[in-house]
Amino acid sequence: MKSLLKLGVAALACAVIAGCGQGQDSDQLVVGFSQIGSESGWRAAETRVAREQAEARGIDLRVSDAQQRQENQIRAIRTFIAQGVDAILLAPVVETGWDAVLAEAREANIPVVLLDRRIETADEDLYLAAVASDAVEEGRVAARWLAEEVGDRQCGVIELQGTVGASVANDRREGFAEIVAGNPNLTIVRSQSGDFTRSRAKEVMESLIRSVGGPNICAVYAHNDDMMIGAIQAMTEAGLNPGEDILTVSIDGVPDIFRAMAEGQANATVELTPNMAGPAFDLLEAYLDDGTAPEKWVRTDSPLYLADTAEAEYAQRRDRY
Amino acid sequence: MSAFKDTTRWLMTARPQLAALALVLGLNMVIAPGFLELTWSDGRLYGSPINLLNRAAPVALLALGMSMVIATRGIDLSVGAVMAIAGAVAAVLVNSGAPWPVAVAAALGAGLACGLWNGVLVAVIGIQPIVATLILMVAGRGVAQLITDGRILTFNDPGLAAIGGGAWLGLPIPVWITLAAAMALIVLTRRTALGLFIEAIGVNPAASRLSGVNSRMVLICVYMVSGLMAALAGLIVAGDIRGADANNAGLWLELDAILAAVIGGASLYGGRLGLSLALLGVWTLQGLKLAILRSGLPAEYNLIVMALLIAVILALQSPAGGRAWRRLTPSRREIAP
C-alpha cells in the first residue's frame, strides 16, 4: 500500500514540476528545495515559511518531500540538476553521504545552501553556505535568562534532555551547562532524557518530582517545548505551580508553549526560527547577482520570548505550525 | 476444581515471573526507601506502586493482545502505529465538536478495523505475520500523520482527557481499563474453548484445522483483539498528554509488549497463552524503568542498564537458570529415600 501511495505522490510531483516548467519567464529565479518531510509541526512551518518567502520575492520554489529518506533527497537533487534550476536548498536528513551528489551539483554550477542542519564532508566547498541555528547558543540564552531571573538565590534545576546522542540535545545541554558553571548558585540536580516527546517527558517528570521532592525544584529546563508541556502537566497534577513557584524555560517556540505562557504556566522559550529559507534566499540573491561569497555558517537568531508577548505570538503562530 | 487449588497452581506456574517482579520491586525499595508508601488525597490514592500500574497501562494492554497473537505463533508489529491512529482519530473528532463517547467509539472502531486488516492478511491471504503486520507498522504512522496533519493535535475535552488522567474509586482510570481488559480476556480464553483453540493453532495449525477448529476465524478475532487493545492504549496515551502526537505515540512500544510477553513466559513458537503472566512481565519492565529513573543515573546509561537487567531476568527464567536454581535448592523429592 505504501509503495502505491508513493507512486501516486511521485506522479503528482511530476505533474506539478512539469506544470511549473511551462509558464516560466527567463529572469525568474528557480530554486529547488529538498525537504526532509513533515515529521513535526516545526518542519511543516519551515516549508510553509519557505513558500511564503519565495512568493514575496517572486522566486519559483519547487519543494520535494523526501519522507525521511536520504535516497529520496539525492534523487530530488539529481532531478533539480537535470531541470537546470538556479540554486538548490537542502535540509539534510543525515550528516554524511552527500559528497557525490553535491559534486554533481557543483559541476553543473548550481549553488547548494544547507538549511537548519549541517553536514560532515571533507570538502566544505561542496556547498555554498549553511543557514542554521546555533543550538549551543540556544542553551546559553535559556541559562542566561534563568541566571538573571533567580539572581543570587540558590536554585536547583531539573534538565529534560532530548534523545540521547542527538546532536541538538548535546549542543543545547552544552550551552546551558556552560552558563550554569559560571553561576555557583545554579545547580542541575537531575538531568534525564524525555526523548523530545510530551508523554515520555511527563512520565520522567513524575518520577523526578518524587525523587527530588517538589519544593526542592526551583526551575525546569527542557531541550524542547513539547517536553516542557508534558512536564508542566506532571507538575500541575502533583499540585505544584509551574510558571509561578517553579520557573520554566525551554527551546523551539511552538504555538502550545505560547499558550501555556499566556496561561501563566510557563515562563520563557527560546525560538528556533522556522524562517531558514529567508536568509538563504538573501545570500543566494547576493551571490548570483555579483558573486558575493557568504559566510559558511549563517547563524539564525535565537530570540527569547516571555509571557508578556505570549498571547500575540500564539495568535500569530497558531496557523503556521 | 476449587479456587484454592486454582490459585496454588497459578502461583506454581508464575514462580519465575513473581520472582522477577519481587526482585525489581526490591531494587526499587533499595533505591527509594519509601517506594511502597501510599497516600490518600483528593479522593484518590497516590504513591509509586500506583504510578507504576498507571504508567504500565498502555504496554499492559498491548501485551495482553500481543500474548494472544504470539500464542498463535504470530506477532503483531503494528500495535504502536495503531495506537497513533486511535489517538489521532479521537483527537480530530473531539476537536470537530463530536461528544467524547463518539470519539472513543470511533477510535476503538479504527483499532478493530486495523486488526481486521492484519487478520485478513495473515489468515486469509496467508502472509507471514511479521511481514503482514510490518505493513501497517510502517503505513499506520503515515495514516495517523495524515489525520493530524503532521502536528500534535491538542484537545481540551475533559471526557477524553479523563481516560488517560482521571481517577475512579481512588485508582487511575488507565489501571481500571487494564484490569477490566485483563479480566475480560482471561474469562474469554479460560472459561470458553477459545484459549484452547488459540494454543492449538500455535502448536500445530494444520492439525487444529483438521480437528475442526475454524483457525481462520480464530486468527482474525485474535488480531482484532490486539487492534482493540492497541486502540485503548492509544486513547490512554492521548488522554494523558491531552493531545495526539502521531509521530511519537506508541513509538517502539510493540517491542516492549513483545518483551513483556516473553518475560511472562510466552514462547515465540506459539502454543503458550498466559495473560496474567504477561501482566507480571509488564509490571516488571515498568518497575525496571522506574528504578532506573529514580536512581539518578545519567541518561546515557538508561538503555544499557535496562538491557543488562532484562538479560539477567531472562537468563534466570531460562531452562539453564532453572537447573542452576534446582541445584542450589534441592527439592524434597531428591532428599526423600
Side-chain angles (χ1 to χ4, degrees), chain A residues 253-263 305-307 309-321, chain B residues 154 156:
Chain A
V254 302
D256 283 350
I257 197 74
F258 285 105
R259 192 166 59 182
M261 279 158 66
E263 287 167 358
Y305 287 89
L306 300 173
T309 56
E311 194 109 41
E313 291 293 333
Y314 176 65
Q316 186 202 325
R317 281 155 207 266
R318 195 174 41 193
D319 299 322
R320 180 173 279 179
Y321 280 77
Chain B
T154 319
N156 289 313

Side-chain angles (χ1 to χ4, degrees), chain A residues 1-2 5 38-41 48 161 164 173 190-193 196-200 202-204 206-208 210-211 226 233 237 256 259 318-319 321, chain B residues 46-48 51 55 117 138-139 143 145 150-152 154 156 237 240-243 245 247-248 286 289-290 292-300 302:
Chain A
M1 198 182 103
K2 203 190 167 195
L5 202 71
S38 51
E39 77 280 5
S40 65
R48 216 158 288 159
Q161 306 174 25
V164 174
R173 192 178 174 188
R190 281 296 174 89
S191 180
Q192 247 307 336
S193 169
F196 282 131
T197 69
R198 285 188 194 190
S199 56
R200 180 76 187 140
K202 185 175 181 184
E203 187 178 342
V204 166
E206 278 176 1
S207 291
L208 293 184
R210 268 174 222 281
S211 50
D226 278 328
Q233 288 182 357
E237 283 167 23
D256 283 350
R259 192 166 59 182
R318 195 174 41 193
D319 299 322
Y321 280 77
Chain B
Y46 284 97
S48 297
N51 187 259
R55 285 291 158 213
W117 163 266
V138 178
V143 171
Q145 283 165 351
R151 54 184 107 182
I152 301 180
T154 319
N156 289 313
V237 168
D240 180 37
I241 60 165
R242 270 158 267 156
D245 185 350
N247 300 306
N248 298 306
Q286 189 64 31
K289 282 185 189 166
L290 261 186
I292 292 170
L293 275 181
R294 298 289 288 268
S295 68
L297 219 62
E300 292 81 353
N302 286 1

Side-chain angles (χ1 to χ4, degrees), chain A residues 143 147 173-188:
Chain A
R173 192 178 174 188
E174 185 191 325
F176 193 84
E178 191 185 305
I179 302 295
V180 165
N183 289 273
N185 59 320
L186 293 181
T187 39
I188 297 177

Side-chain angles (χ1 to χ4, degrees), chain B residues 108-196:
Chain B
L108 297 182
L112 284 172
C114 290
L116 179 66
W117 163 266
N118 284 331
V120 167
L121 288 187
V122 171
V124 180
I125 304 182
I127 303 177
Q128 290 202 349
I130 194 167
V131 180
T133 56
L134 187 65
I135 296 173
L136 194 56
M137 176 189 176
V138 178
R141 204 160 283 284
V143 171
Q145 283 165 351
L146 278 180
I147 298 173
T148 60
D149 217 4
R151 54 184 107 182
I152 301 180
L153 264 188
T154 319
F155 54 82
N156 289 313
D157 188 274
L160 194 53
I163 294 178
W168 186 61
L169 295 182
L171 282 181
I173 286 177
V175 177
W176 285 116
I177 295 179
T178 311
L179 295 178
M183 288 312 292
L185 290 181
I186 289 173
V187 168
L188 193 70
T189 52
R190 287 294 168 234
R191 292 284 170 253
T192 72
L194 186 65
L196 196 65

Side-chain angles (χ1 to χ4, degrees), chain A residues 106-135:
Chain A
R106 185 168 59 179
E107 267 165 41
N109 260 327
I110 300 174
V112 176
V113 178
L114 305 179
L115 291 196
D116 75 82
R117 295 187 187 182
R118 294 185 300 148
I119 59 170
E120 272 175 31
T121 169
D123 183 3
E124 293 245 304
D125 290 336
L126 283 175
Y127 60 91
L128 179 66
V131 178
S133 74
D134 183 345

Side-chain angles (χ1 to χ4, degrees), chain B:
Chain B
M1 208 184 297
S2 73
F4 177 73
K5 242 182 181 169
D6 268 359
T7 314
T8 38
R9 207 181 54 176
W10 182 83
L11 283 175
M12 289 306 281
T13 28
R15 253 182 334 185
Q17 284 74 29
L18 286 171
L21 184 58
L23 200 78
V24 168
L25 292 182
L27 185 67
N28 267 299
M29 285 193 289
V30 171
I31 290 168
F35 182 75
L36 291 181
E37 265 169 42
L38 293 176
T39 51
W40 180 273
S41 71
D42 305 332
R44 65 189 281 184
L45 271 174
Y46 284 97
S48 297
I50 303 295
N51 187 259
L52 188 155
L53 292 177
N54 188 27
R55 285 291 158 213
V59 177
L61 290 165
L62 297 185
L64 288 172
M66 189 68 76
S67 303
M68 291 178 61
V69 173
I70 288 178
T72 66
R73 206 187 287 186
I75 200 136
D76 188 351
L77 294 182
S78 71
V79 287
V82 175
M83 281 176 69
I85 293 178
V89 166
V92 164
L93 283 177
V94 290
N95 276 352
S96 65
W100 69 267
V102 174
V104 168
L108 297 182
L112 284 172
C114 290
L116 179 66
W117 163 266
N118 284 331
V120 167
L121 288 187
V122 171
V124 180
I125 304 182
I127 303 177
Q128 290 202 349
I130 194 167
V131 180
T133 56
L134 187 65
I135 296 173
L136 194 56
M137 176 189 176
V138 178
R141 204 160 283 284
V143 171
Q145 283 165 351
L146 278 180
I147 298 173
T148 60
D149 217 4
R151 54 184 107 182
I152 301 180
L153 264 188
T154 319
F155 54 82
N156 289 313
D157 188 274
L160 194 53
I163 294 178
W168 186 61
L169 295 182
L171 282 181
I173 286 177
V175 177
W176 285 116
I177 295 179
T178 311
L179 295 178
M183 288 312 292
L185 290 181
I186 289 173
V187 168
L188 193 70
T189 52
R190 287 294 168 234
R191 292 284 170 253
T192 72
L194 186 65
L196 196 65
F197 291 165
I198 289 172
E199 287 176 340
I201 292 173
V203 172
N204 191 333
S208 60
R209 200 171 52 246
L210 291 174
S211 53
V213 176
N214 185 347
S215 59
R216 196 170 278 179
M217 204 58 224
V218 172
L219 274 177
I220 291 179
C221 284
V222 163
Y223 281 94
M224 284 177 79
V225 167
S226 179
L228 184 68
M229 292 297 120
L232 274 174
L235 285 171
I236 289 175
V237 168
D240 180 37
I241 60 165
R242 270 158 267 156
D245 185 350
N247 300 306
N248 298 306
L251 194 62
W252 310 128
L253 284 196
E254 56 277 344
L255 300 181
D256 279 17
I258 295 169
L259 189 58
V262 170
I263 293 178
S267 157
L268 292 181
Y269 291 109
R272 229 192 289 169
L273 178 62
L275 293 172
S276 52
L277 300 184
L279 282 186
L280 293 181
V282 172
W283 295 329
T284 306
L285 262 184
Q286 189 64 31
L288 275 181
K289 282 185 189 166
L290 261 186
I292 292 170
L293 275 181
R294 298 289 288 268
S295 68
L297 219 62
E300 292 81 353
Y301 294 96
N302 286 1
L303 297 175
I304 233 168
V305 171
M306 182 89 181
L308 281 176
L309 291 173
I310 289 169
V312 169
I313 288 174
L314 289 177
L316 287 177
Q317 292 184 359
S318 68
R323 276 196 296 278
W325 178 256
R326 273 193 296 278
R327 218 168 296 140
L328 288 173
T329 55
S331 74
R332 239 173 279 150
R333 205 184 321 150
E334 281 164 315
I335 295 169

